[in-house]
Structures are given as structure tokens and as C-alpha cells.
Amino acid sequence: MRWVAEVAATEYEDAAAAIVRVAQCTIVNAKWHLCQEWAIARLAKHRGLACVALFPDHPVVQLIAYNGQLLGRARWHRTGTTARWIATQEPIAHEIGNYRSLHGAARALAQAAGMPHRVVTCLPDQAWE
């Protein structure tokens, strides 16, 4: 009988752990969407090609927009001694290439969207509003 109780307890622990994982994923997803909304709102105030960090103080993921229209993202990726910016288009997150600079990734996203633009403005990090 003790074995049955241990099996039942283990099943409850497994179920509880699964529920906690789902809750954690939900929180991370909600934070991602909130940060993206705030970043897009900042980009909407800027004319031309611009980028801003998705998460304040963490520039590894940048949102790229042209005249406030979201074009895609660029993320910093390091493999061994090679570091590149990976550009992905919205809304399907299709990778269009990797670039040595954030500005190069932003220009490539603009060109892929049919909006070639040479000047890229990087908005400064700002605390969440």
C-alpha cells in the first residue's frame, strides 16, 4: 500500500512541476509581449529607420522599424570567435541573413521590405514607462 501512495505522490509532484513550467512560460511570454509593445511605441515616435532594444539594458535583441512600422528583429549571436547580428523579418520571423553590425542588419530589413534607407538611428536604452 505504501508503494501506491508513493506512486500517487510522484504523479502529483510531476503534475505540479508541469503546471509550474506552464506558468513560468506564460509569464515570460507576457513579459516579451509587453516589452515589444513598449518598444514599438517608442519606435512609432521616430521617423526613418530606427532600432531599439527589446529589453532595457539588454541590447542583444533589437526591434527595427521604418517610420514606426515594425520591420523585424536583429539578435546578437556569438559562435566561438565569430559574432553577428541575425536579422529576421516580421511577422513570420524569417531569417534574411547575418551581418557584422546592427546597422547592417537594419538596412537589410529595410531593403527586404522595399524601403531602402541608409541612415539608422539607434534609440537609447530607457527604463520601462
Side-chain angles (χ1 to χ4, degrees):
M1 197 58 155
R2 181 171 179 235
W3 180 80
V4 171
E6 288 175 4
V7 168
T10 301
E11 289 175 2
Y12 286 125
E13 290 169 0
D14 291 346
I19 290 169
V20 168
R21 281 192 302 276
V22 168
Q24 288 172 331
C25 288
T26 302
I27 290 169
V28 167
N29 192 26
K31 179 181 178 183
W32 180 279
H33 285 287
L34 280 174
C35 290
Q36 182 166 300
E37 287 177 20
W38 290 328
I40 290 171
R42 288 191 61 210
L43 288 166
K45 298 173 186 173
H46 185 78
R47 304 302 297 166
L49 187 58
C51 57
V52 67
L54 177 61
F55 301 107
D57 301 324
H58 299 285
V60 297
V61 178
Q62 297 276 328
L63 292 173
I64 314 292
Y66 183 77
N67 290 342
Q69 177 186 352
L70 184 62
L71 300 177
R73 291 185 191 88
R75 67 179 162 77
W76 181 247
H77 181 75
R78 181 181 295 274
T79 305
T81 59
T82 305
R84 297 286 189 164
W85 285 94
I86 309 296
T88 56
Q89 284 181 305
E90 282 295 313
I92 57 172
H94 174 72
E95 184 178 318
I96 63 167
N98 59 61
Y99 304 88
R100 288 184 292 206
S101 70
L102 175 58
H103 287 202
R107 285 191 293 271
L109 284 167
Q111 185 174 12
M115 303 172 200
H117 206 275
R118 307 242 2 116
V119 178
V120 181
T121 303
C122 289
L123 302 180
D125 283 347
Q126 194 170 341
W128 292 338
E129 299 166 358

